[in-house]
């Protein structure tokens, strides 16, 4: 599965645009007074103006041999979140992955992750063009099993890791929905940000087909994209 497009909402649109385009250096694809979109590898990330604050967790995939270079690159541009005792990198043994975290201008928890099973090394020096795509979006729910079943049934995606009660994942290593039960898992690691069911829209590609998704008011709606 791959995220082709992901739309999030922010009440700090101009600050977010400056951070993403000027500090991180992502290319702006489109913009107006209420919206902007960015090229993120095979994905497109957009932010739309909102009157209220939203706090998301999302993640970018980078080549498997670029974590340390990317960490040094990021620390020259913004603060990387300390996990504990000054440690910046988190190892996910069962995922065969490593990552680090930072806040974007809206206060969202953003992440760079390497997934060693993908064997997608890149021998050139790291810069923002090496980001391969959007890798994760958090989908907070009271019923992990129900959302996972809907994704499997309507998109043909598969449960990946975790469990169907507290925190599960659905998709593939190239694109994953994080499914925390916000009644049991209260904060986004490694921060104190409370997990809430925040609205988003997405287009994903799975098994050669595209699907549109809208998550709003804790309900997920999906349609096949025939365009």
């Amino acid at each position: 599965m791959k995220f082709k497009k992901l739309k999030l909402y922010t009440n700090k649109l101009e600050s977010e645009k400056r951070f993403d385009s000027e500090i991180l250096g992502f290319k702006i694809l489109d913009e107006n007074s209420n919206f902007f979109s960015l090229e993120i590898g095979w994905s497109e990330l957009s932010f739309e103006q909102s009157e209220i604050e939203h706090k998301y967790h999302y993640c970018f995939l980078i080549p498997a041999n670029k974590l340390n270079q990317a960490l040094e690159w990021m620390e020259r541009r913004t603060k990387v979140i300390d996990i504990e005792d000054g440690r910046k990198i988190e190892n996910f043994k069962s995922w065969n992955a490593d990552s680090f975290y930072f806040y974007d201008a809206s206060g969202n928890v953003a992440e760079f992750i390497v997934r060693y099973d993908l064997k997608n090394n890149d021998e050139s020096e790291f810069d923002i063009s090496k980001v391969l795509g959007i890798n994760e979006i958090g989908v907070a729910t009271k019923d992990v099993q129900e959302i996972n079943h809907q994704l499997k049934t309507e998109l043909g995606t598969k449960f990946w890791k975790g469990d169907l009660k507290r925190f599960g994942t659905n998709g593939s290593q190239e694109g994953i929905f994080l499914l925390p039960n916000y009644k049991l898992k209260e904060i986004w690691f490694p921060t104190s940000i409370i997990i809430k069911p925040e609205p988003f829209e997405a287009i994903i590609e799975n098994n050669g087909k595209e699907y549109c998704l809208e998550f709003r008011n804790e309900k997920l709606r999906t349609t096949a994209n025939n365009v």
Side-chain angles (χ1 to χ4, degrees):
M1 188 191 92
K2 287 184 176 181
F3 289 99
K4 305 302 289 184
K5 293 186 178 183
L6 177 65
K7 182 166 78 172
L8 308 178
Y9 296 87
T10 180
N11 64 343
K12 299 177 180 176
L13 189 72
E14 287 303 315
S15 296
E16 188 63 47
K17 183 170 69 173
R18 285 194 299 272
F19 178 81
D20 293 328
S21 64
E22 297 177 18
I23 295 177
L24 298 188
F26 287 121
K27 177 183 177 182
I28 294 179
L29 295 175
D30 192 14
E31 62 179 311
N32 58 37
S33 60
N34 196 48
F35 161 94
F36 70 92
S37 64
L38 305 161
E39 181 180 7
I40 315 284
W42 60 60
S43 309
E44 180 180 325
L45 174 63
S46 62
F47 286 90
E48 186 171 302
Q49 179 69 45
S50 171
E51 293 303 311
I52 62 173
E53 180 180 75
H54 299 283
K55 291 292 178 68
Y56 299 92
H57 171 48
Y58 59 89
C59 177
F60 300 124
L61 180 68
I62 62 173
N65 62 333
K66 290 300 171 190
L67 188 73
N68 289 325
Q69 279 190 22
L71 176 60
E72 293 173 3
W73 181 93
M74 187 64 74
E75 288 191 307
R76 294 195 294 270
R77 288 159 177 81
T78 193
K79 179 176 173 55
V80 173
I81 297 172
D82 289 331
I83 296 171
E84 60 182 8
D85 300 326
R87 178 167 59 87
K88 308 286 188 180
I89 293 173
E90 180 69 10
N91 173 251
F92 300 94
K93 187 174 181 180
S94 67
W95 290 20
N96 197 21
D98 286 312
S99 73
F100 63 83
Y101 301 83
F102 60 97
Y103 295 109
D104 69 10
S106 303
N108 300 311
V109 185
E111 179 182 4
F112 273 20
I113 195 166
V114 296
R115 297 182 179 275
Y116 300 108
D117 291 344
L118 291 176
K119 300 183 182 353
N120 54 7
N121 286 8
D122 187 315
E123 299 309 321
S124 57
E125 194 73 15
F126 182 83
D127 60 37
I128 201 64
S129 70
K130 301 301 185 294
V131 176
L132 299 171
I134 297 167
N135 190 241
E136 301 171 357
I137 182 63
V139 187
T141 177
K142 292 192 293 284
D143 192 334
V144 175
Q145 186 167 345
E146 180 182 0
I147 293 291
N148 178 70
H149 177 74
Q150 186 178 359
L151 292 168
K152 287 174 63 177
T153 302
E154 299 177 12
L155 307 184
T157 56
K158 297 179 180 180
F159 185 78
W160 188 59
K161 302 265 188 179
D163 63 79
L164 292 172
K165 185 176 181 181
R166 180 179 180 271
F167 180 65
T169 55
N170 179 289
S172 72
Q173 295 208 54
E174 290 185 317
I176 290 175
F177 295 104
L178 305 178
L179 308 177
N181 181 333
Y182 65 90
K183 297 294 186 180
L184 301 176
K185 178 178 169 58
E186 296 182 351
I187 59 174
W188 285 119
F189 177 86
T191 75
S192 58
I193 291 178
I194 302 297
I195 296 175
K196 296 179 181 179
E198 302 285 18
F200 71 87
E201 297 172 29
I203 297 176
I204 67 106
E205 179 185 290
N206 189 51
N207 295 328
K209 297 180 180 179
E210 285 193 356
Y211 301 88
C212 299
L213 297 84
E214 181 179 11
F215 186 68
R216 194 175 299 274
N217 299 321
E218 300 192 49
K219 298 294 184 183
L220 181 66
R221 296 177 54 200
T222 70
T223 56
N225 188 359
N226 297 316
V227 177

